[in-house]
Amino acid sequence: MEFKTNSKAETMELGKKIGALLKSGDILILEGDLGAGKTTFTQGIAQGMGINDYVKSPTFTYVMEYRGKIPLYHFDLYRLKDPEELYDLGFEDFLYQGVLVMEWGSMVEKMLAEDGFDYIKISLLKTGENTRIIHIEDTPKGQGLYKELSL
Ligand code: ADP
Ligand code: MG
């Protein structure tokens, strides 16, 4: 399932719709080059989850926690060297408490699949200065999300 956005605001709006549908234990992998809009999209997700804090890239911390009715754990895995390090970051504890959004999450995708975790994967592609293609990949949870979005 693919969406096209023509501005930062539109990407945030889509993130907001999706954020409103996320539940505790959901893992969302975000993929896309630098500047594709992963952090912008996460800002929308936070809004949709009723979180008013300003979300920025957690590049120097790996993970940032934002408190809402359900907590949002915002990861940036760009500098992760080994997928297994995700467990050292407290991944499983976070999973029982809230929603996990992972920028550069492709790094751990194979491991998560092998370890039996289902996830949503969303790829962002820059197609012009202000245009993006946002694609929800065909994982089981991704399909569930897509159905809910189209209601
Ligand atoms: P990433 O986290 O993927 O590196 P960011 O969200 O930090 O990307 O940055 C995206 C940049 O692209 C921002 O400066 C934003 O203003 C700009 N931008 C322009 N058009 C869009 C769009 N349609 N969607 C998202 N961001 C956009
Ligand atoms: Mg970012």
Side-chain angles (χ1 to χ4, degrees):
M1 180 57 202
E2 226 167 63
F3 299 87
K4 291 192 175 71
T5 67
N6 296 303
S7 66
K8 177 177 179 160
E10 281 184 26
T11 294
M12 282 184 70
E13 200 49 44
L14 179 62
K16 195 172 166 180
K17 276 188 197 147
I18 289 174
L21 297 170
L22 294 175
K23 296 172 193 70
S24 188
D26 281 346
I27 302 171
L28 204 163
I29 290 177
L30 293 183
E31 204 41 53
D33 291 340
L34 201 69
K38 302 181 294 299
T39 299
T40 302
F41 189 73
T42 308
Q43 288 168 350
I45 287 175
Q47 281 188 6
M49 291 174 64
I51 294 167
N52 296 316
D53 295 335
Y54 179 69
V55 172
K56 57 181 182 0
S57 243
T59 305
F60 296 102
T61 45
Y62 282 119
V63 57
M64 285 283 290
E65 176 180 359
Y66 297 93
R67 295 200 166 274
K69 212 166 89 187
I70 309 171
L72 167 65
Y73 298 98
H74 180 204
F75 290 75
D76 189 315
L77 302 178
Y78 186 70
R79 291 178 308 125
L80 207 69
K81 292 199 177 56
D82 180 337
E84 298 283 340
E85 283 177 54
L86 183 66
Y87 287 100
D88 304 331
L89 295 174
F91 159 74
E92 283 175 298
D93 298 327
F94 296 142
L95 204 53
Y96 293 112
Q97 296 176 50
V99 167
L100 280 62
V101 173
M102 301 176 174
E103 295 194 32
W104 303 103
S106 285
M107 155 72 124
V108 298
E109 182 177 359
K110 189 162 168 282
M111 178 187 73
L112 291 180
E114 283 171 2
D115 293 354
F117 294 104
D118 194 10
Y119 51 85
I120 297 161
K121 183 180 181 187
I122 297 181
S123 306
L124 296 96
L125 180 70
K126 182 171 175 173
T127 49
E129 196 52 51
N130 295 305
T131 52
R132 303 290 185 269
I133 290 177
I134 300 175
H135 183 248
I136 303 177
E137 308 278 340
D138 235 0
T139 65
K141 260 203 180 178
Q143 290 172 0
L145 175 67
Y146 169 59
K147 279 192 198 119
E148 278 190 89
L149 271 175
S150 7
L151 290 179

